[in-house]
Amino acid sequence: MSAPGPQTPPGPAPRAVAVLAGTAVLAVATDQIVKELSVQHLDPTEPVRVLGGLIYLSLLRNSGAAFSLGSGHTWVFPLITLAVIGWIAWMTRRLRSVPWAVSLGLVLGGALGNLGDRLFRAPGPFRGHVVDMISAFAPYGERFAVFNVADSCLTVGVCLAILLELTGRQRDGSRARRAADPGPGNGQAAGEVRP
């Protein structure tokens, strides 16, 4: 009887892929609905004070990134977004972890939400200005950059990914073993999948 050959790494789990896709769709839909309501109902000259001034709804159109960085190079941002989408597609090849699916779905949804603005809003394709409306602590981004739902999704998704990395959770559902772990003799096999 011949020895078994090298095992092929498992492919993505359908449940994890569904969670990623569902999270991304929900993020994009929420972002676009909030942007459309903001464009229709917010007056750019009259910020709306919310939660006692913790948040101001200030309608702005941003040609750059956070803090208006790169505002003269708007065409670059769609290219960066396409690279992020490609990276997420590559990460999905072995995706079996639901927390990682949520993280990647939030990043994907946030990237797609702002990409929609870059492609379809004025002044034109690849030069469109992103609609921002949430200003913390003061109107018009006086104390912090004005942002939108897509930006929030991106931030939360990246923070979740960092937390998952720091706690050793892998995309395939396993947990990385710390160097101090005694190995399989500690009651759990190396690379064993944990929830």
Side-chain angles (χ1 to χ4, degrees):
M1 185 173 179
S2 60
Q7 289 187 342
T8 304
R15 179 175 176 227
V17 174
V19 168
L20 186 156
T23 302
V25 168
L26 182 61
V28 172
T30 303
D31 176 66
Q32 292 302 309
I33 289 169
V34 170
K35 285 175 177 173
E36 197 55 39
L37 290 173
S38 298
V39 169
Q40 290 179 11
H41 300 290
L42 289 179
D43 184 340
T45 64
E46 294 183 16
V48 177
R49 191 169 182 254
V50 181
L51 300 175
L54 180 63
I55 297 291
Y56 287 82
L57 301 180
S58 304
L59 182 63
L60 295 175
R61 295 176 189 270
N62 185 3
S63 61
F67 301 97
S68 295
L69 296 174
S71 56
H73 304 283
T74 305
W75 61 271
V76 171
F77 299 109
L79 300 181
I80 294 172
T81 302
L82 293 174
V84 169
I85 293 168
W87 172 77
I88 291 174
W90 179 80
M91 295 278 281
T92 305
R93 294 177 310 140
R94 293 180 54 216
L95 181 66
R96 303 186 71 78
S97 164
V98 170
W100 266 106
V102 172
S103 170
L104 294 174
L106 287 170
V107 172
L108 179 59
L112 290 174
N114 284 337
L115 178 63
D117 287 14
R118 301 286 185 198
L119 294 179
F120 302 115
R121 293 192 187 272
F126 285 90
R127 295 176 297 118
H129 293 181
V130 172
V131 174
D132 290 329
M133 78 292 295
I134 305 170
S135 182
F137 312 118
Y140 303 117
E142 293 168 7
R143 296 191 183 166
F144 191 78
V146 183
F147 57 97
N148 57 38
V149 173
D151 298 331
S152 300
C153 290
L154 278 165
T155 302
V156 172
V158 168
C159 289
L160 178 55
I162 292 170
L163 179 63
L164 292 170
E165 282 289 341
L166 291 176
T167 56
R169 294 180 180 272
Q170 306 294 304
R171 292 187 322 275
D172 64 2
S174 65
R175 289 191 74 170
R177 209 169 21 132
R178 293 189 183 102
D181 273 352
N186 68 355
Q188 177 166 357
E192 181 178 334
V193 174
R194 296 184 186 174

